[in-house]
């Protein structure tokens, strides 16, 4: 079976500090990978997605970047955090099936980031 | 782009039924998903509709009308553990990478 891991679970960082959040998937190969941010009481905002190693698409202009150094590893980074970067960060994966309709996304446990 | 609307909050009594509506606008509809998210946790998949009609899974059912751009999630025999946010998400066939666009979520509070 497939599992998705994220760490750390919680993080408190000062404004201006760097950030690195990691996500890994087990039990599947060549997945689509996603980073979402969720503000308190709000829906999910897609930040980045990747369809393969080294292939990153950004959905919104922001202070963050993403990388996919290995097939099942997805990293979210920032050089200098802003207060507005606080939120609940969720990594997700789906099968890379080229548009097959029934293809849900599976979410990791999330990282709660507080920028002070 | 896509526009997805769902109510912000609903309250219901244990044992009752609640219907959560979702309306969407998309030029190339290719599936609608419902997720459940308990506070502080990750969303978990509930249901999927791509054709018109009702899909039933135990106490939960989801309905889709593509011509109306409308879906609902029906929760029957409500239990306290059903208190959570319910997220509606739509996939557009033109969207690369199997991307989903999520609505803002509906927070359901189940009272005794």
């Amino acid at each position: 079976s497939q599992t998705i891991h994220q760490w750390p679970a919680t993080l408190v960082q000062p404004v201006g500090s760097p950030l690195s959040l990691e996500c890994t998937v087990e039990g599947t190969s060549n997945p689509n990978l996603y980073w979402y941010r969720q503000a308190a009481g709000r829906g999910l905002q897609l930040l980045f997605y990747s369809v393969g190693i080294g292939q990153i698409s950004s959905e919104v202009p922001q202070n963050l970047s993403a990388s996919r150094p290995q097939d099942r590893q997805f990293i979210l980074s920032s050089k200098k955090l802003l207060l507005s970067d606080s939120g609940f960060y969720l990594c997700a994966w789906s099968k890379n099936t080229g548009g097959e309709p029934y293809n849900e996304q599976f979410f990791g446990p999330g990282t709660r980031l507080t920028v002070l | 782009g896509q526009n997805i609307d769902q109510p912000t909050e609903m309250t219901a009594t244990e044992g009752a039924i609640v219907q959560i509506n979702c309306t969407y606008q998309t030029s190339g509809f290719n599936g609608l998903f419902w997720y459940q998210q308990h506070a502080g946790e990750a969303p978990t998949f509930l249901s999927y509709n791509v054709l018109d009609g009702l899909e039933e899974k135990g106490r939960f059912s989801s309905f889709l009308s593509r011509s109306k751009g409308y879906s609902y999630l029906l929760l029957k025999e409500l239990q306290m553990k059903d208190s959570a946010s319910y997220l509606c998400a739509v996939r557009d066939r033109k969207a690369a990478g199997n991307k989903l666009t999520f609505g803002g979520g509906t927070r359901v509070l189940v009272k005794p």
Side-chain angles (χ1 to χ4, degrees):
Chain A
S1 63
Q2 300 89 8
T3 55
I4 178 168
H5 305 278
Q6 282 186 248
W7 63 92
T10 60
L11 192 59
V12 180
Q13 291 285 98
V15 169
S17 64
L19 174 75
S20 181
L21 302 181
E22 190 161 342
C23 171
T24 58
V25 181
E26 296 177 357
T28 189
S29 60
N30 194 31
N32 293 324
L33 295 172
Y34 312 86
W35 276 114
Y36 290 89
R37 177 169 58 204
Q38 186 175 35
R42 305 291 294 275
L44 302 180
Q45 179 187 35
L46 181 63
L47 303 176
F48 301 94
Y49 71 94
S50 170
V51 300
I53 296 175
Q55 301 179 60
I56 309 294
S57 296
S58 174
E59 288 294 292
V60 292
Q62 60 207 314
N63 182 41
L64 302 167
S65 61
S67 62
R68 185 170 177 173
Q70 299 180 47
D71 181 44
R72 289 168 289 177
Q73 184 185 29
F74 206 22
I75 296 172
L76 184 69
S77 304
S78 174
K79 292 181 180 177
K80 284 187 176 182
L81 282 169
L82 306 172
L83 285 173
S84 58
D85 291 325
S86 292
F88 190 41
Y89 288 83
L90 288 156
C91 180
W93 75 273
S94 71
K95 293 179 185 176
N96 194 340
T97 57
E100 179 182 301
Y102 184 65
N103 190 9
E104 74 263 38
Q105 293 183 11
F106 300 91
F107 287 85
T111 295
R112 187 161 304 281
L113 172 66
T114 303
V115 182
L116 302 176
Chain B
Q2 297 172 328
N3 195 28
I4 301 174
D5 290 311
Q6 48 182 133
T8 305
E9 194 168 296
M10 303 180 74
T11 302
T13 306
E14 194 175 14
I17 298 173
V18 70
Q19 177 175 314
I20 306 168
N21 297 325
C22 171
T23 58
Y24 64 88
Q25 294 175 320
T26 184
S27 55
F29 177 81
N30 193 27
L32 186 143
F33 298 79
W34 284 96
Y35 283 82
Q36 180 191 58
Q37 185 179 25
H38 285 99
E41 298 182 10
T44 55
F45 170 75
L46 284 179
S47 69
Y48 169 76
N49 296 73
V50 68
L51 299 176
D52 292 348
L54 190 68
E55 295 283 342
E56 296 187 80
K57 272 188 180 182
R59 294 187 299 114
F60 293 1
S61 305
S62 57
F63 171 84
L64 175 68
S65 169
R66 289 172 295 171
S67 62
K68 295 181 180 177
Y70 167 70
S71 172
Y72 68 73
L73 180 69
L74 196 69
L75 285 61
K76 297 181 237 181
E77 300 168 22
L78 279 172
Q79 302 175 10
M80 298 300 291
K81 67 178 182 179
D82 297 330
S83 291
S85 287
Y86 293 85
L87 308 174
C88 173
V90 171
R91 180 169 57 211
D92 187 306
R93 70 177 73 255
K94 298 179 207 152
N98 189 36
K99 290 187 296 180
L100 298 178
T101 300
F102 282 83
T106 300
R107 191 166 64 181
V108 172
L109 177 62
V110 180
K111 294 186 173 178

